[in-house]
């Protein structure tokens, strides 16, 4: 899948040491070429306005966006499983951190705020890899949908039968009953 391709490349870059070398080299350039914020474009300004006007209990779920989100999460799960990581680690890295930490943070403050308040490594990585995700998704996955290409039913069946679901159920039983929340104030 288009997301899996990028996620495997990221994994390979980290595993080989190339990614940390890139961060170190870029870190050396930050005094001369500081990292700018990403929230200056129209897209991020509109997002801030939408968050300010939304009614929390009336936020619709956009099926296509949810599908892309789940497919990308499953692609990350598959990369980590195929690379030999334990299921508990895969679930923590791919599901728990997203659901319990990143999603609430993005919901409250937006993606741009989250990115620009992360570590230097995360900020550099998001700027480096976002264009690859954008290209792969918009030039491969979205085009197939726009052209009404037949969907790959085997991918959906593989999702439904994936071993991660049972493992997530076990982890969910161990989860504390307190949700993480971020309030704007």
């Amino acid at each position: 899948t288009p997301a899996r391709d990028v996620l495997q490349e990221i994994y390979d870059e980290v595993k080989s040491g190339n990614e940390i070398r890139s961060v170190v080299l870029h870190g050396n350039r930050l005094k001369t070429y500081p990292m700018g914020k990403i929230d200056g474009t129209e897209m991020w300004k509109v997002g801030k306005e939408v968050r300010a006007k939304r009614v929390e209990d009336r936020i619709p779920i956009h099926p296509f966006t949810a599908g892309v989100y789940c497919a990308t999460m499953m692609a990350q799960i598959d990369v980590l499983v195929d690379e030999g990581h334990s299921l508990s680690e895969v679930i923590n890295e791919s599901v728990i951190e997203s659901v319990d930490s990143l999603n609430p943070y993005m919901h409250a403050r937006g993606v741009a705020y989250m990115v620009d308040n992360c570590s230097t490594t995360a900020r550099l990585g998001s700027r480096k890899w976002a264009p690859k995700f954008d290209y792969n998704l918009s030039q491969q996955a979205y085009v197939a949908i726009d052209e009404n290409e037949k969907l790959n039913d085997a991918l959906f069946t593989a999702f439904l039968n994936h071993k991660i679901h049972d493992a997530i159920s076990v982890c969910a039983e161990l989860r504390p009953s307190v949700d993480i929340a971020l309030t704007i104030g």
Side-chain angles (χ1 to χ4, degrees), residues 9 20 48 69 110 115:
E9 183 178 354
I20 194 64
K48 188 174 183 176
Y69 184 86
V115 166

Side-chain angles (χ1 to χ4, degrees), residues 8 15 25 28 59 62 81 90 106 124 127 130 142 155 171 177 180:
Q8 186 65 57
K15 184 178 177 180
L25 290 170
N28 294 337
I59 299 173
H62 188 267
V81 167
V90 171
M106 289 186 292
L124 289 171
R127 287 161 171 81
Y142 302 165
L155 290 174
C171 287
S177 60
I180 295 174

Side-chain angles (χ1 to χ4, degrees), residues 69-140:
Y69 184 86
C70 288
T72 303
M73 185 180 285
M74 290 304 297
Q76 179 172 313
I77 288 167
D78 286 339
V79 166
L80 295 175
V81 167
D82 289 351
E83 292 291 341
H85 293 264
S86 68
L87 291 181
S88 61
E89 180 185 14
V90 171
I91 293 164
N92 183 60
E93 293 294 324
S94 305
V95 180
I96 295 170
E97 286 185 9
S98 180
V99 171
D100 285 353
S101 181
L102 300 176
N103 289 352
Y105 197 89
M106 289 186 292
H107 179 75
R109 303 267 201 254
V111 176
Y113 186 89
M114 182 192 69
V115 166
D116 282 331
N117 287 279
C118 284
S119 68
T120 300
T121 302
R123 290 168 58 212
L124 289 171
S126 65
R127 287 161 171 81
K128 179 178 180 178
W129 295 106
K132 286 200 110 161
F133 276 106
D134 181 56
Y135 178 83
N136 272 25
L137 291 171
S138 64
Q139 298 300 316
Q140 295 176 33

Side-chain angles (χ1 to χ4, degrees), residues 50-75:
V50 168
R51 280 189 307 283
K53 295 177 185 175
R54 70 182 170 209
V55 178
E56 291 296 321
D57 60 351
R58 297 182 68 201
I59 299 173
I61 293 176
H62 188 267
F64 184 78
T65 303
V68 170
Y69 184 86
C70 288
T72 303
M73 185 180 285
M74 290 304 297

